[in-house]
mmCIF file of all heavy atoms in Angstrom:
data_model
loop_
_atom_site.group_PDB
_atom_site.id
_atom_site.type_symbol
_atom_site.label_atom_id
_atom_site.label_comp_id
_atom_site.label_asym_id
_atom_site.label_seq_id
_atom_site.Cartn_x
_atom_site.Cartn_y
_atom_site.Cartn_z
ATOM 1 N N GLY Y 1 6.419 -6.033 13.442
ATOM 2 C CA GLY Y 1 5.844 -6.961 12.455
ATOM 3 C C GLY Y 1 5.387 -6.460 11.212
ATOM 4 O O GLY Y 1 4.357 -6.913 10.640
ATOM 5 N N ILE Y 2 6.007 -5.382 10.661
ATOM 6 C CA ILE Y 2 5.730 -4.835 9.389
ATOM 7 C C ILE Y 2 6.441 -5.550 8.271
ATOM 8 O O ILE Y 2 7.638 -5.637 8.324
ATOM 9 C CB ILE Y 2 6.019 -3.325 9.420
ATOM 10 C CG1 ILE Y 2 5.273 -2.553 10.510
ATOM 11 C CG2 ILE Y 2 5.621 -2.702 8.067
ATOM 12 C CD1 ILE Y 2 5.591 -1.208 10.691
ATOM 13 N N ILE Y 3 5.618 -6.068 7.299
ATOM 14 C CA ILE Y 3 6.262 -6.785 6.107
ATOM 15 C C ILE Y 3 6.212 -5.839 4.920
ATOM 16 O O ILE Y 3 5.252 -5.199 4.631
ATOM 17 C CB ILE Y 3 5.421 -8.047 5.878
ATOM 18 C CG1 ILE Y 3 5.247 -8.878 7.161
ATOM 19 C CG2 ILE Y 3 6.088 -8.828 4.725
ATOM 20 C CD1 ILE Y 3 6.613 -9.386 7.677
ATOM 21 N N GLY Y 4 7.404 -5.893 4.233
ATOM 22 C CA GLY Y 4 7.390 -5.172 2.962
ATOM 23 C C GLY Y 4 8.648 -4.248 2.795
ATOM 24 O O GLY Y 4 9.248 -3.773 3.770
ATOM 25 N N ASN Y 5 9.045 -4.081 1.526
ATOM 26 C CA ASN Y 5 10.193 -3.172 1.274
ATOM 27 C C ASN Y 5 9.852 -2.068 0.284
ATOM 28 O O ASN Y 5 10.726 -1.497 -0.353
ATOM 29 C CB ASN Y 5 11.282 -4.065 0.627
ATOM 30 C CG ASN Y 5 11.858 -5.088 1.697
ATOM 31 O OD1 ASN Y 5 12.251 -4.804 2.786
ATOM 32 N ND2 ASN Y 5 11.833 -6.381 1.250
ATOM 33 N N ASP Y 6 8.642 -1.712 0.196
ATOM 34 C CA ASP Y 6 8.210 -0.684 -0.675
ATOM 35 C C ASP Y 6 8.855 0.647 -0.203
ATOM 36 O O ASP Y 6 8.923 0.906 1.007
ATOM 37 C CB ASP Y 6 6.618 -0.519 -0.715
ATOM 38 C CG ASP Y 6 6.181 0.601 -1.679
ATOM 39 O OD1 ASP Y 6 6.183 0.412 -2.880
ATOM 40 O OD2 ASP Y 6 5.801 1.620 -1.081
ATOM 41 N N ALA Y 7 9.238 1.518 -1.226
ATOM 42 C CA ALA Y 7 9.950 2.787 -0.919
ATOM 43 C C ALA Y 7 8.979 3.759 -0.136
ATOM 44 O O ALA Y 7 9.401 4.356 0.824
ATOM 45 C CB ALA Y 7 10.410 3.402 -2.166
ATOM 46 N N LYS Y 8 7.686 3.799 -0.539
ATOM 47 C CA LYS Y 8 6.751 4.666 0.113
ATOM 48 C C LYS Y 8 6.525 4.223 1.566
ATOM 49 O O LYS Y 8 6.409 5.043 2.529
ATOM 50 C CB LYS Y 8 5.427 4.727 -0.586
ATOM 51 C CG LYS Y 8 5.572 5.429 -2.003
ATOM 52 C CD LYS Y 8 4.234 5.447 -2.679
ATOM 53 C CE LYS Y 8 4.308 6.115 -4.039
ATOM 54 N NZ LYS Y 8 3.035 6.106 -4.777
ATOM 55 N N LEU Y 9 6.405 2.956 1.763
ATOM 56 C CA LEU Y 9 6.309 2.381 3.095
ATOM 57 C C LEU Y 9 7.480 2.678 3.995
ATOM 58 O O LEU Y 9 7.314 3.131 5.092
ATOM 59 C CB LEU Y 9 6.049 0.832 3.054
ATOM 60 C CG LEU Y 9 5.984 0.097 4.364
ATOM 61 C CD1 LEU Y 9 4.738 0.549 5.205
ATOM 62 C CD2 LEU Y 9 6.029 -1.421 4.178
ATOM 63 N N ASN Y 10 8.654 2.460 3.429
ATOM 64 C CA ASN Y 10 9.908 2.733 4.187
ATOM 65 C C ASN Y 10 9.917 4.242 4.594
ATOM 66 O O ASN Y 10 10.385 4.632 5.629
ATOM 67 C CB ASN Y 10 11.155 2.396 3.371
ATOM 68 C CG ASN Y 10 11.279 0.957 3.257
ATOM 69 O OD1 ASN Y 10 10.733 0.112 4.026
ATOM 70 N ND2 ASN Y 10 12.008 0.475 2.264
ATOM 71 N N ARG Y 11 9.577 5.107 3.600
ATOM 72 C CA ARG Y 11 9.600 6.632 3.984
ATOM 73 C C ARG Y 11 8.622 6.928 5.019
ATOM 74 O O ARG Y 11 8.906 7.715 5.932
ATOM 75 C CB ARG Y 11 9.166 7.368 2.618
ATOM 76 C CG ARG Y 11 9.146 8.919 2.825
ATOM 77 C CD ARG Y 11 10.325 9.438 3.372
ATOM 78 N NE ARG Y 11 10.214 10.917 3.591
ATOM 79 C CZ ARG Y 11 10.935 11.516 4.502
ATOM 80 N NH1 ARG Y 11 11.901 10.997 5.240
ATOM 81 N NH2 ARG Y 11 10.818 12.860 4.610
ATOM 82 N N ALA Y 12 7.390 6.313 5.066
ATOM 83 C CA ALA Y 12 6.469 6.497 6.104
ATOM 84 C C ALA Y 12 6.960 6.190 7.543
ATOM 85 O O ALA Y 12 6.852 6.866 8.489
ATOM 86 C CB ALA Y 12 5.167 5.817 5.847
ATOM 87 N N ILE Y 13 7.633 5.015 7.534
ATOM 88 C CA ILE Y 13 8.233 4.590 8.840
ATOM 89 C C ILE Y 13 9.364 5.423 9.200
ATOM 90 O O ILE Y 13 9.479 5.722 10.416
ATOM 91 C CB ILE Y 13 8.702 3.070 8.645
ATOM 92 C CG1 ILE Y 13 7.541 2.098 8.395
ATOM 93 C CG2 ILE Y 13 9.495 2.549 9.929
ATOM 94 C CD1 ILE Y 13 7.896 0.702 7.999
ATOM 95 N N GLU Y 14 10.133 5.964 8.278
ATOM 96 C CA GLU Y 14 11.238 6.808 8.569
ATOM 97 C C GLU Y 14 10.760 8.151 9.152
ATOM 98 O O GLU Y 14 11.348 8.627 10.169
ATOM 99 C CB GLU Y 14 12.053 7.076 7.274
ATOM 100 C CG GLU Y 14 13.280 8.017 7.499
ATOM 101 C CD GLU Y 14 13.984 8.331 6.228
ATOM 102 O OE1 GLU Y 14 13.342 8.063 5.140
ATOM 103 O OE2 GLU Y 14 15.140 8.889 6.272
ATOM 104 N N LYS Y 15 9.648 8.657 8.613
ATOM 105 C CA LYS Y 15 9.085 9.872 9.177
ATOM 106 C C LYS Y 15 8.589 9.661 10.581
ATOM 107 O O LYS Y 15 8.715 10.570 11.371
ATOM 108 C CB LYS Y 15 7.975 10.451 8.271
ATOM 109 C CG LYS Y 15 8.477 11.017 6.940
ATOM 110 C CD LYS Y 15 7.281 11.290 6.005
ATOM 111 C CE LYS Y 15 6.589 12.520 6.416
ATOM 112 N NZ LYS Y 15 5.574 12.913 5.429
ATOM 113 N N ALA Y 16 7.957 8.517 10.781
ATOM 114 C CA ALA Y 16 7.463 8.232 12.156
ATOM 115 C C ALA Y 16 8.582 8.135 13.162
ATOM 116 O O ALA Y 16 8.450 8.657 14.293
ATOM 117 C CB ALA Y 16 6.717 6.888 12.092
ATOM 118 N N ILE Y 17 9.722 7.548 12.737
ATOM 119 C CA ILE Y 17 10.876 7.474 13.656
ATOM 120 C C ILE Y 17 11.477 8.847 13.963
ATOM 121 O O ILE Y 17 11.855 9.204 15.118
ATOM 122 C CB ILE Y 17 12.007 6.605 13.027
ATOM 123 C CG1 ILE Y 17 11.495 5.139 12.908
ATOM 124 C CG2 ILE Y 17 13.214 6.647 13.844
ATOM 125 C CD1 ILE Y 17 12.440 4.190 12.093
ATOM 126 N N GLN Y 18 11.496 9.652 12.981
ATOM 127 C CA GLN Y 18 12.019 11.042 13.104
ATOM 128 C C GLN Y 18 11.194 11.965 14.015
ATOM 129 O O GLN Y 18 11.717 12.779 14.796
ATOM 130 C CB GLN Y 18 12.184 11.711 11.736
ATOM 131 C CG GLN Y 18 13.210 11.083 10.851
ATOM 132 C CD GLN Y 18 13.295 11.689 9.456
ATOM 133 O OE1 GLN Y 18 12.290 12.190 8.911
ATOM 134 N NE2 GLN Y 18 14.411 11.675 8.817
ATOM 135 N N VAL Y 19 9.775 11.838 13.920
ATOM 136 C CA VAL Y 19 8.961 12.651 14.752
ATOM 137 C C VAL Y 19 8.727 12.187 16.098
ATOM 138 O O VAL Y 19 8.153 12.894 16.995
ATOM 139 C CB VAL Y 19 7.647 13.056 14.001
ATOM 140 C CG1 VAL Y 19 7.874 13.665 12.637
ATOM 141 C CG2 VAL Y 19 6.757 11.751 13.887
ATOM 142 N N ALA Y 20 9.040 10.896 16.351
ATOM 143 C CA ALA Y 20 8.614 10.221 17.636
ATOM 144 C C ALA Y 20 9.263 11.007 18.824
ATOM 145 O O ALA Y 20 8.553 11.211 19.836
ATOM 146 C CB ALA Y 20 9.181 8.779 17.613
ATOM 147 N N PRO Y 21 10.484 11.471 18.856
ATOM 148 C CA PRO Y 21 11.071 12.050 20.070
ATOM 149 C C PRO Y 21 10.404 13.418 20.333
ATOM 150 O O PRO Y 21 10.575 13.987 21.498
ATOM 151 C CB PRO Y 21 12.513 12.266 19.768
ATOM 152 C CG PRO Y 21 12.826 11.280 18.694
ATOM 153 C CD PRO Y 21 11.537 11.290 17.832
ATOM 154 N N THR Y 22 9.610 13.987 19.472
ATOM 155 C CA THR Y 22 9.009 15.308 19.587
ATOM 156 C C THR Y 22 7.535 15.132 20.084
ATOM 157 O O THR Y 22 7.100 14.086 20.264
ATOM 158 C CB THR Y 22 8.994 16.175 18.326
ATOM 159 O OG1 THR Y 22 8.013 15.546 17.410
ATOM 160 C CG2 THR Y 22 10.376 16.247 17.695
ATOM 161 N N ASP Y 23 6.856 16.364 20.314
ATOM 162 C CA ASP Y 23 5.473 16.291 20.774
ATOM 163 C C ASP Y 23 4.570 16.798 19.599
ATOM 164 O O ASP Y 23 3.434 17.199 19.848
ATOM 165 C CB ASP Y 23 5.239 17.102 21.977
ATOM 166 C CG ASP Y 23 5.646 16.394 23.239
ATOM 167 O OD1 ASP Y 23 5.627 15.112 23.268
ATOM 168 O OD2 ASP Y 23 6.060 17.002 24.331
ATOM 169 N N ILE Y 24 5.151 16.741 18.337
ATOM 170 C CA ILE Y 24 4.341 17.225 17.242
ATOM 171 C C ILE Y 24 3.161 16.312 16.971
ATOM 172 O O ILE Y 24 3.251 15.152 17.046
ATOM 173 C CB ILE Y 24 5.289 17.265 16.002
ATOM 174 C CG1 ILE Y 24 6.407 18.329 16.143
ATOM 175 C CG2 ILE Y 24 4.497 17.540 14.701
ATOM 176 C CD1 ILE Y 24 7.409 18.283 15.015
ATOM 177 N N SER Y 25 2.018 16.974 16.623
ATOM 178 C CA SER Y 25 0.823 16.236 16.267
ATOM 179 C C SER Y 25 1.026 15.619 14.879
ATOM 180 O O SER Y 25 1.562 16.247 13.976
ATOM 181 C CB SER Y 25 -0.428 17.140 16.205
ATOM 182 O OG SER Y 25 -0.658 17.678 17.522
ATOM 183 N N VAL Y 26 0.614 14.362 14.693
ATOM 184 C CA VAL Y 26 0.800 13.703 13.431
ATOM 185 C C VAL Y 26 -0.555 13.199 12.926
ATOM 186 O O VAL Y 26 -1.422 12.758 13.659
ATOM 187 C CB VAL Y 26 1.730 12.486 13.672
ATOM 188 C CG1 VAL Y 26 1.880 11.685 12.392
ATOM 189 C CG2 VAL Y 26 3.077 12.904 14.275
ATOM 190 N N LEU Y 27 -0.728 13.259 11.566
ATOM 191 C CA LEU Y 27 -1.920 12.856 10.973
ATOM 192 C C LEU Y 27 -1.483 11.747 9.918
ATOM 193 O O LEU Y 27 -0.666 11.962 9.019
ATOM 194 C CB LEU Y 27 -2.611 13.952 10.146
ATOM 195 C CG LEU Y 27 -3.938 13.475 9.388
ATOM 196 C CD1 LEU Y 27 -4.953 12.962 10.285
ATOM 197 C CD2 LEU Y 27 -4.467 14.672 8.503
ATOM 198 N N VAL Y 28 -2.025 10.532 10.127
ATOM 199 C CA VAL Y 28 -1.697 9.369 9.270
ATOM 200 C C VAL Y 28 -2.864 9.200 8.354
ATOM 201 O O VAL Y 28 -4.008 9.108 8.715
ATOM 202 C CB VAL Y 28 -1.484 8.060 10.118
ATOM 203 C CG1 VAL Y 28 -1.087 6.881 9.227
ATOM 204 C CG2 VAL Y 28 -0.548 8.299 11.127
ATOM 205 N N THR Y 29 -2.490 9.270 6.973
ATOM 206 C CA THR Y 29 -3.582 9.123 5.982
ATOM 207 C C THR Y 29 -3.280 7.926 5.176
ATOM 208 O O THR Y 29 -2.246 7.338 5.045
ATOM 209 C CB THR Y 29 -3.537 10.325 5.030
ATOM 210 O OG1 THR Y 29 -2.248 10.454 4.409
ATOM 211 C CG2 THR Y 29 -3.854 11.668 5.856
ATOM 212 N N GLY Y 30 -4.387 7.368 4.541
ATOM 213 C CA GLY Y 30 -4.349 6.196 3.742
ATOM 214 C C GLY Y 30 -5.655 5.526 3.649
ATOM 215 O O GLY Y 30 -6.578 5.755 4.467
ATOM 216 N N GLU Y 31 -5.828 4.589 2.691
ATOM 217 C CA GLU Y 31 -7.076 3.837 2.518
ATOM 218 C C GLU Y 31 -7.309 2.975 3.663
ATOM 219 O O GLU Y 31 -6.410 2.485 4.437
ATOM 220 C CB GLU Y 31 -7.089 3.087 1.194
ATOM 221 C CG GLU Y 31 -6.984 3.958 -0.029
ATOM 222 C CD GLU Y 31 -6.993 3.176 -1.309
ATOM 223 O OE1 GLU Y 31 -7.100 1.931 -1.245
ATOM 224 O OE2 GLU Y 31 -6.796 3.818 -2.450
ATOM 225 N N SER Y 32 -8.543 2.534 3.791
ATOM 226 C CA SER Y 32 -8.895 1.588 4.870
ATOM 227 C C SER Y 32 -8.155 0.272 4.620
ATOM 228 O O SER Y 32 -8.155 -0.345 3.543
ATOM 229 C CB SER Y 32 -10.442 1.287 4.886
ATOM 230 O OG SER Y 32 -10.839 0.364 5.861
#
């Protein structure tokens, strides 16, 4: 249910998809 076509948003989702199969620790940053 994610709405939007912003390039930075798409890049964030792409990184999440790429690291998902691994066990790497992830830090998500951004404003409240």
Side-chain angles (χ1 to χ4, degrees):
I2 300 174
I3 307 296
N5 294 307
D6 180 76
K8 293 180 180 178
L9 175 66
N10 289 341
R11 177 55 182 157
I13 296 173
E14 182 183 14
K15 290 173 72 174
I17 295 172
Q18 290 175 331
V19 302
T22 70
D23 281 334
I24 294 175
S25 298
V26 178
L27 178 64
V28 186
T29 60
E31 297 180 5
S32 179

